[in-house]
Amino acid sequence: EKNLEKEKELGMLAKEDLANRCEKKAEMFKIEYKNDSAAYYLELRASLDTTNVEWQLDAGLFIQDYLANYDKALKYYECALNNAIRFFGEQHQDVATCYSWIGVIYIYLGDYSNALSFSQKALKVRLNIFGETNSTISECYNNIANIYYYQGNYPMALNYFKNALETNLALFGEIHPDIGINVNNIGVAYSSLEN
């Protein structure tokens, strides 16, 4: 039993070492703008431990942002979500992060029904964890507002853009770049309403 425990410990150390090497390789390729190679190493790291939520999210985010392979990114996010729920339960910030990124993917795919569903789940979990005054709440409001905007439901979009502004005003005051973005979004919504 002692030898078996030692073997498991060494295996974990070897996996962590390999994961660190993969991450360093990915960072090197990112600097060189070799996105396919960077993605390869991030995916390799993610495959070393498919239960590691962070590694799945990292691979998904890079593939989403730099390769625009939304179906593949979605698979990483779904894997991360399943493990986050299994390890932490529904009311955890990693679960909310997974919901949020899955919602974003569905926006890119034009599936606004699923996008709205996952974005609302992210908002609900984050409100339960953080309350109203957290930058991730404003992010959720903006995502939901954008979904309504893309659907042509400008009054609902305006409502959520205003919620994002109120949250950010409480967090940052009036002088902050996010406030400018919020005010601009509200202006765009009013323009679409021809007001």
Side-chain angles (χ1 to χ4, degrees):
E1 279 186 35
K2 285 183 183 179
N3 286 338
L4 184 60
E5 284 300 315
K6 203 174 239 184
E7 285 293 319
K8 284 182 183 176
E9 206 172 287
L10 289 173
M12 288 302 289
L13 290 174
K15 187 188 299 184
E16 286 291 327
D17 182 52
L18 185 55
N20 288 335
R21 289 177 188 209
C22 286
E23 186 176 19
K24 287 178 184 172
K25 286 276 196 186
E27 289 301 318
M28 181 186 73
F29 284 118
K30 285 180 192 178
I31 291 168
E32 297 173 357
Y33 300 103
K34 295 180 179 176
N35 294 336
D36 288 332
S37 297
Y40 170 81
Y41 283 102
L42 288 173
E43 288 186 87
L44 180 59
R45 182 178 75 154
S47 72
L48 291 173
D49 184 358
T50 58
T51 65
N52 188 310
V53 174
E54 180 185 348
W55 295 355
Q56 302 307 307
L57 286 173
D58 286 348
L61 185 59
F62 188 83
I63 289 165
Q64 169 192 312
D65 286 349
Y66 293 96
L67 301 182
N69 188 336
Y70 304 127
D71 292 324
K72 190 181 231 184
L74 182 60
K75 288 183 174 128
Y76 282 105
Y77 293 150
E78 288 171 342
C79 180
L81 174 62
N82 290 334
N83 286 304
I85 291 171
R86 191 175 84 200
F87 295 138
F88 310 122
E90 284 281 341
Q91 298 301 309
H92 191 271
Q93 65 186 29
D94 286 352
V95 172
T97 298
C98 294
Y99 283 146
S100 184
W101 283 120
I102 291 171
V104 168
I105 289 291
Y106 280 121
I107 292 172
Y108 289 141
L109 294 173
D111 183 346
Y112 299 126
S113 176
N114 275 322
L116 187 59
S117 173
F118 280 96
S119 297
Q120 288 172 332
K121 287 179 183 181
L123 176 62
K124 183 178 178 183
V125 173
R126 286 176 171 165
L127 283 170
N128 285 337
I129 295 171
F130 301 117
E132 280 286 336
T133 52
N134 185 282
S135 61
T136 62
I137 302 300
S138 175
E139 174 189 305
C140 288
Y141 286 142
N142 271 320
N143 287 346
I144 293 169
N146 283 323
I147 295 163
Y148 282 122
Y149 187 84
Y150 298 145
Q151 290 178 319
N153 188 340
Y154 305 126
M156 286 297 286
L158 181 61
N159 184 46
Y160 278 94
F161 282 139
K162 286 180 177 180
N163 288 342
L165 174 62
E166 289 174 23
T167 300
N168 281 337
L169 283 171
L171 286 169
F172 306 121
E174 290 189 16
I175 309 298
H176 190 275
D178 288 353
I179 301 301
I181 292 168
N182 294 142
V183 171
N184 183 68
N185 289 341
I186 290 169
V188 168
Y190 274 126
S191 177
S192 295
L193 289 165
E194 298 181 1
N195 184 344

PDB file of all heavy atoms in Angstrom, residues 7 22 32 45 63 89 93 108 110 127 138 147 176:
ATOM      1  N   GLU A   7       3.632   5.598  -5.757  1.00  0.00           N
ATOM      2  CA  GLU A   7       3.480   5.601  -7.219  1.00  0.00           C
ATOM      3  C   GLU A   7       2.433   6.624  -7.650  1.00  0.00           C
ATOM      4  O   GLU A   7       2.630   7.347  -8.628  1.00  0.00           O
ATOM      5  CB  GLU A   7       3.085   4.205  -7.726  1.00  0.00           C
ATOM      6  CG  GLU A   7       4.202   3.201  -7.735  1.00  0.00           C
ATOM      7  CD  GLU A   7       5.285   3.549  -8.749  1.00  0.00           C
ATOM      8  OE1 GLU A   7       4.961   3.977  -9.873  1.00  0.00           O
ATOM      9  OE2 GLU A   7       6.465   3.407  -8.398  1.00  0.00           O
ATOM     10  N   CYS A  22       3.597  22.069 -20.845  1.00  0.00           N
ATOM     11  CA  CYS A  22       2.634  22.379 -21.906  1.00  0.00           C
ATOM     12  C   CYS A  22       2.222  23.852 -21.832  1.00  0.00           C
ATOM     13  O   CYS A  22       2.142  24.535 -22.862  1.00  0.00           O
ATOM     14  CB  CYS A  22       1.397  21.494 -21.791  1.00  0.00           C
ATOM     15  SG  CYS A  22       1.658  19.792 -22.307  1.00  0.00           S
ATOM     16  N   GLU A  32       4.664  34.233 -30.158  1.00  0.00           N
ATOM     17  CA  GLU A  32       5.060  34.180 -31.570  1.00  0.00           C
ATOM     18  C   GLU A  32       3.857  34.202 -32.517  1.00  0.00           C
ATOM     19  O   GLU A  32       4.022  34.069 -33.728  1.00  0.00           O
ATOM     20  CB  GLU A  32       5.896  32.918 -31.823  1.00  0.00           C
ATOM     21  CG  GLU A  32       7.195  32.885 -31.054  1.00  0.00           C
ATOM     22  CD  GLU A  32       7.930  31.561 -31.180  1.00  0.00           C
ATOM     23  OE1 GLU A  32       7.410  30.617 -31.823  1.00  0.00           O
ATOM     24  OE2 GLU A  32       9.051  31.469 -30.642  1.00  0.00           O
ATOM     25  N   ARG A  45      -2.514  19.773 -22.496  1.00  0.00           N
ATOM     26  CA  ARG A  45      -2.615  19.946 -21.039  1.00  0.00           C
ATOM     27  C   ARG A  45      -4.014  19.576 -20.560  1.00  0.00           C
ATOM     28  O   ARG A  45      -4.168  18.874 -19.557  1.00  0.00           O
ATOM     29  CB  ARG A  45      -2.274  21.377 -20.644  1.00  0.00           C
ATOM     30  CG  ARG A  45      -2.326  21.588 -19.132  1.00  0.00           C
ATOM     31  CD  ARG A  45      -1.955  22.974 -18.743  1.00  0.00           C
ATOM     32  NE  ARG A  45      -3.035  23.883 -19.041  1.00  0.00           N
ATOM     33  CZ  ARG A  45      -3.232  25.028 -18.398  1.00  0.00           C
ATOM     34  NH1 ARG A  45      -2.423  25.412 -17.428  1.00  0.00           N
ATOM     35  NH2 ARG A  45      -4.230  25.812 -18.737  1.00  0.00           N
ATOM     36  N   ILE A  63      -9.240  28.555 -27.776  1.00  0.00           N
ATOM     37  CA  ILE A  63      -9.798  28.057 -29.033  1.00  0.00           C
ATOM     38  C   ILE A  63     -10.927  28.972 -29.510  1.00  0.00           C
ATOM     39  O   ILE A  63     -11.063  29.242 -30.700  1.00  0.00           O
ATOM     40  CB  ILE A  63     -10.262  26.594 -28.865  1.00  0.00           C
ATOM     41  CG1 ILE A  63      -9.026  25.695 -28.741  1.00  0.00           C
ATOM     42  CG2 ILE A  63     -11.140  26.152 -30.011  1.00  0.00           C
ATOM     43  CD1 ILE A  63      -9.312  24.314 -28.231  1.00  0.00           C
ATOM     44  N   GLY A  89     -20.571  21.845  -6.619  1.00  0.00           N
ATOM     45  CA  GLY A  89     -22.007  22.102  -6.509  1.00  0.00           C
ATOM     46  C   GLY A  89     -22.412  23.259  -7.411  1.00  0.00           C
ATOM     47  O   GLY A  89     -21.568  23.927  -8.005  1.00  0.00           O
ATOM     48  N   GLN A  93     -18.437  29.879  -8.174  1.00  0.00           N
ATOM     49  CA  GLN A  93     -18.064  30.828  -9.225  1.00  0.00           C
ATOM     50  C   GLN A  93     -17.545  30.132 -10.478  1.00  0.00           C
ATOM     51  O   GLN A  93     -17.735  30.632 -11.596  1.00  0.00           O
ATOM     52  CB  GLN A  93     -17.064  31.857  -8.713  1.00  0.00           C
ATOM     53  CG  GLN A  93     -15.721  31.302  -8.307  1.00  0.00           C
ATOM     54  CD  GLN A  93     -14.854  32.374  -7.671  1.00  0.00           C
ATOM     55  OE1 GLN A  93     -15.354  33.308  -7.060  1.00  0.00           O
ATOM     56  NE2 GLN A  93     -13.559  32.238  -7.826  1.00  0.00           N
ATOM     57  N   TYR A 108     -22.291  33.481 -30.298  1.00  0.00           N
ATOM     58  CA  TYR A 108     -21.513  33.380 -31.545  1.00  0.00           C
ATOM     59  C   TYR A 108     -22.181  32.442 -32.554  1.00  0.00           C
ATOM     60  O   TYR A 108     -22.115  32.677 -33.752  1.00  0.00           O
ATOM     61  CB  TYR A 108     -20.097  32.869 -31.269  1.00  0.00           C
ATOM     62  CG  TYR A 108     -19.193  33.842 -30.568  1.00  0.00           C
ATOM     63  CD1 TYR A 108     -18.312  33.408 -29.593  1.00  0.00           C
ATOM     64  CD2 TYR A 108     -19.192  35.204 -30.868  1.00  0.00           C
ATOM     65  CE1 TYR A 108     -17.459  34.288 -28.945  1.00  0.00           C
ATOM     66  CE2 TYR A 108     -18.348  36.084 -30.227  1.00  0.00           C
ATOM     67  CZ  TYR A 108     -17.485  35.622 -29.270  1.00  0.00           C
ATOM     68  OH  TYR A 108     -16.648  36.500 -28.633  1.00  0.00           O
ATOM     69  N   GLY A 110     -25.326  32.010 -32.820  1.00  0.00           N
ATOM     70  CA  GLY A 110     -26.626  32.537 -33.198  1.00  0.00           C
ATOM     71  C   GLY A 110     -27.798  31.806 -32.557  1.00  0.00           C
ATOM     72  O   GLY A 110     -28.942  31.989 -32.962  1.00  0.00           O
ATOM     73  N   LEU A 127     -25.240  36.264  -8.646  1.00  0.00           N
ATOM     74  CA  LEU A 127     -25.988  37.085  -7.682  1.00  0.00           C
ATOM     75  C   LEU A 127     -26.044  36.393  -6.322  1.00  0.00           C
ATOM     76  O   LEU A 127     -25.913  37.057  -5.282  1.00  0.00           O
ATOM     77  CB  LEU A 127     -27.402  37.361  -8.193  1.00  0.00           C
ATOM     78  CG  LEU A 127     -27.538  38.425  -9.274  1.00  0.00           C
ATOM     79  CD1 LEU A 127     -28.942  38.424  -9.863  1.00  0.00           C
ATOM     80  CD2 LEU A 127     -27.186  39.802  -8.720  1.00  0.00           C
ATOM     81  N   SER A 138     -22.146  42.755 -13.718  1.00  0.00           N
ATOM     82  CA  SER A 138     -22.269  43.680 -14.843  1.00  0.00           C
ATOM     83  C   SER A 138     -22.008  42.949 -16.163  1.00  0.00           C
ATOM     84  O   SER A 138     -22.706  43.177 -17.160  1.00  0.00           O
ATOM     85  CB  SER A 138     -21.265  44.822 -14.676  1.00  0.00           C
ATOM     86  OG  SER A 138     -21.285  45.659 -15.794  1.00  0.00           O
ATOM     87  N   ILE A 147     -27.870  39.789 -26.029  1.00  0.00           N
ATOM     88  CA  ILE A 147     -28.742  38.755 -26.599  1.00  0.00           C
ATOM     89  C   ILE A 147     -30.081  39.363 -26.994  1.00  0.00           C
ATOM     90  O   ILE A 147     -30.567  39.167 -28.114  1.00  0.00           O
ATOM     91  CB  ILE A 147     -28.932  37.580 -25.614  1.00  0.00           C
ATOM     92  CG1 ILE A 147     -27.602  36.850 -25.382  1.00  0.00           C
ATOM     93  CG2 ILE A 147     -29.987  36.605 -26.135  1.00  0.00           C
ATOM     94  CD1 ILE A 147     -27.582  35.964 -24.147  1.00  0.00           C
ATOM     95  N   HIS A 176     -14.628  55.770 -15.056  1.00  0.00           N
ATOM     96  CA  HIS A 176     -14.050  54.439 -15.288  1.00  0.00           C
ATOM     97  C   HIS A 176     -14.369  54.029 -16.720  1.00  0.00           C
ATOM     98  O   HIS A 176     -15.468  54.339 -17.213  1.00  0.00           O
ATOM     99  CB  HIS A 176     -14.629  53.421 -14.288  1.00  0.00           C
ATOM    100  CG  HIS A 176     -13.925  52.117 -14.292  1.00  0.00           C
ATOM    101  ND1 HIS A 176     -14.243  51.108 -15.176  1.00  0.00           N
ATOM    102  CD2 HIS A 176     -12.907  51.656 -13.537  1.00  0.00           C
ATOM    103  CE1 HIS A 176     -13.452  50.076 -14.950  1.00  0.00           C
ATOM    104  NE2 HIS A 176     -12.635  50.381 -13.964  1.00  0.00           N
TER     105      HIS A 176
END
